[in-house]
Each structure stands twice: as structure tokens, then as C-alpha cells.
Amino acid sequence: MTNTLVVEKAKTSKIQDVDFDNLSFGSVYSDHMLVCDYRNGKWEAPKVVPYQPLSLDPSAKIFHYGQSIFEGMKAYKDEAGDAWLFRPLENFKRLNKSAKRLAIPELPEEYFMEGLTTLLQLDKDWIPQNPGSSLYIRPFMFASGTGFHASPADEYKFIICTAPSGAYFSGKVKVLIEENYSRAANGGVGYAKAGGNYAGQFYPTQLAIEKGYNQVIWTDDNSHEYIEEAGAMNVFVRINDTLITGPTSDRILDGITRKSILDIANEEGIATEVRKISVHEVVEAAKTGELKEMFGAGTAAVISPISAFGYKDTDYDLPELQNSYASLLKKRITDIQYNRVADTFGWRYKV
């Protein structure tokens, strides 16, 4: 594909206008983006072009039937100025898994990987080196084909945009265990990174925020008896010295950070269990003092510690630990991401 990837450089750069010491998450955008169109039954050659608005017909099916998926990734710069990705092929595989579920044509691997690395090499100066900072990468695909008929589109767009960003969360979060609304259902699209999954979360999350919480812990759609995810992240619970997370399913996202945590925990000799976690078990463990930690895990925050949770009008505080699993695991992952230690897992990918 090397000979067919077209690169159109921006005439001027916006980088001199960016305060890299004060970056909010995903609100400043780099100079270029990758664009690839699906037409006439095949993906055309990708192009790297200046970051710019899109022009879409009002009848484009994305607006009417929600065929939209995305991924979240980061590029990191080490002290020597080299740029790295973290398990990018896992993001590619999950993108195509999501595409298949939403009847979107799957993307060739070389289009994703070569397009991404070309984009990052061009915008390498946009990868910040400040502690905790990174270049957030947003690959996404959506239906650009037109028509009001309720059917898959005949044209699609694949785009990668990037945004230099500081740390995603600061401090610990207080969460509410959801007793009414559900994030996903059996047989649904919960395992896909579909835009609609996140749209459906906003209202229940807003209700939780109005009650004084930062985020929602989602429970199963049938009984609301089992913990599933923390906001837009996978959730981990530590009872005594065992780290527990729910199994992936057609309701739960197969998180790349989640998989990495389990592998590192096993290497560290931390006992892990992948099984269903009941709300009752968590509440009882909180009452007896056996609940040591809860945290969310995802690309943006890596690990987001939970300081307290609410359930049935009662709040339960978690202890402050000197040597938490959350801090150990976050350091292990970020040390690999920023090329500070040897990568024994083979997860790091040089740009």
C-alpha cells in the first residue's frame, strides 16, 4: 500500500498556538488526519490530509440509523523523543469486531497500521513529552452513504484524528451503582465500541452527577445484581488480596487495558479471578472491611481509583492504601507505554 498512500501536508501548522503545559482531554486537534472511503464495494486508498471539517449529505445514514464505531488509542514519547504505541493491533482487531456487528465493512490491516504510522510520523511534534501527557488517537468509522431506507449504507468513511492531551482524570472518583438503567443487554452491541452505547449512558450518568457522584457502575440488564462496567471503563474489585473483574460477554467491552492488567497482575503474583461479581458481595465486603479497592480501567485514564460507591441511598468509603494494586498496576503499564522499562510482553510498537 506504500505507493498508494497520498499525503497532503497542511500549508501552516497550528502547533505554535498550543499550550502543551495546560492540555485538557481531547479538545485540541493536530494538523492532519487520515481519511479512507468505502465505495463501490471496496475500501479506497487512505489519504493523510490537513485536519478539516467534513461535508455530508443530510440523508447520510449515520444521522438516521447510527452506524458509527470508534477506537481510543494513545501515542507516547519517551525521554529520547521516540514515539510509541501500546498494543495497536488489539485496537485494529476490536475495530473490525465492532464493524462486523454493525454491518460496516471491515478494514484491511495495512490501511489501519500504515495509515496510522504515516499520520503519526507527520505529526510527531504533536506528541507531548510532559509527564502523564500523550497524543490521544481516535480512529472511527461511520455510514456516509445516503438514503432514508432502514438498511446498511453503501458508502462509509474511516478517519483517524489525533489530539494532544494531558492526564484524563485527576483524583479519585465517587460512583453510584445503577439499579434501574442498563448500558447493554444480552444479544446486543455492548461489546462493540458503537457510538450509540455511549449516547445511552449520558442520561443515567447525568442523574448520578446530580446526586453528587462522578460516574455510574453499570449492572446487568436482567436483575441488576451483578457489576459490569464503571462508566465507559472496565471495572476491577479487590477483596482482601484478590483482584476480580467480570468476564467479557456480548454486554462487556473487551478492554485492552483490562487484558494488560490481568497479565501484569499474574506476573506480579497477585491473585486474580475473572467471574461475575454481585453487588451484594461488594456491599458485604465493604461492611466487613474486606473491600480494599475498586477502580476503572481504560485507555484514557489507564486506571481510575474509586474512593467511594453509593447503593440504595447508602455510601460506602474505600480505605486509603499506601501500596495499592491500582498504583502498582498503573505504574507497570505506563512504564511500558513510555519506554521506561523493558517490554517483556511485546506490547510496545515503535512509530
Side-chain angles (χ1 to χ4, degrees), residues 24-289:
S24 58
F25 180 80
S27 59
V28 175
Y29 310 106
S30 313
D31 285 330
H32 299 90
M33 63 185 193
L34 181 87
V35 180
C36 185
D37 286 296
Y38 180 89
R39 297 190 185 101
N40 301 315
K42 64 182 179 67
W43 287 103
E44 299 176 351
K47 298 177 288 186
V48 174
V49 299
Y51 185 89
Q52 59 192 271
L54 301 175
S55 178
L56 291 170
D57 193 285
S59 66
K61 291 200 173 187
I62 175 57
F63 300 130
H64 308 279
Y65 303 112
Q67 275 182 291
S68 173
I69 58 171
F70 69 95
E71 275 296 319
M73 309 171 64
K74 286 180 177 179
Y76 311 85
K77 196 174 276 185
D78 64 20
E79 290 183 357
D82 291 324
W84 303 87
L85 293 165
F86 184 72
R87 309 187 75 174
L89 283 173
E90 293 295 324
N91 291 98
F92 165 72
K93 291 172 187 172
R94 192 171 62 186
L95 182 79
N96 272 347
K97 186 177 178 183
S98 298
K100 188 173 184 178
R101 181 62 182 83
L102 269 75
I104 297 172
E106 295 175 53
L107 190 76
E109 180 180 320
E110 65 270 21
Y111 282 30
F112 183 92
M113 291 304 299
E114 191 171 337
L116 175 59
T117 52
T118 301
L119 176 65
L120 294 179
Q121 286 163 358
L122 188 60
D123 279 347
K124 188 177 178 182
D125 290 345
W126 285 84
I127 308 174
Q129 275 187 288
N130 300 20
S133 296
S134 57
L135 185 72
Y136 185 76
I137 303 165
R138 173 53 61 89
F140 60 105
M141 300 164 72
F142 64 90
S144 54
T146 60
F148 291 144
H149 187 263
S151 61
D154 57 358
E155 295 184 0
Y156 296 86
K157 277 189 182 293
F158 169 63
I159 296 175
I160 304 178
C161 297
T162 65
S165 299
Y168 187 57
F169 285 123
S170 58
K172 295 190 174 184
V173 295
K174 183 180 178 183
V175 299
L176 179 66
I177 294 180
E178 182 58 53
E179 301 174 55
N180 181 34
Y181 295 98
S182 297
R183 193 194 80 88
N186 288 328
V189 296
Y191 69 87
K193 282 188 76 72
N197 288 347
Y198 296 79
Q201 292 185 35
F202 295 154
Y203 176 66
T205 303
Q206 189 58 46
L207 294 179
I209 290 169
E210 289 169 5
K211 293 177 181 177
Y213 299 91
N214 304 105
Q215 195 48 269
V216 167
I217 293 278
W218 301 103
T219 50
D220 69 286
D221 63 307
N222 186 34
S223 65
H224 295 287
E225 291 177 4
Y226 295 95
I227 282 173
E228 298 214 318
E229 293 197 347
M233 299 179 287
N234 295 118
V235 65
F236 283 81
V237 173
R238 175 185 173 185
I239 296 178
N240 292 320
D241 290 332
T242 301
L243 194 61
I244 312 164
T245 192
T248 55
S249 66
D250 53 13
R251 298 189 311 277
I252 297 178
L253 191 72
D254 187 10
I256 295 160
T257 306
R258 172 190 176 278
K259 288 191 282 197
S260 305
I261 286 171
L262 289 171
D263 287 345
I264 291 172
N266 289 330
E267 188 182 76
E268 289 282 348
I270 296 170
T272 60
E273 292 180 4
V274 178
R275 61 170 175 81
K276 293 170 75 172
I277 313 163
S278 72
V279 178
H280 175 76
E281 179 182 9
V282 172
V283 170
E284 289 304 307
K287 288 178 179 177
T288 61

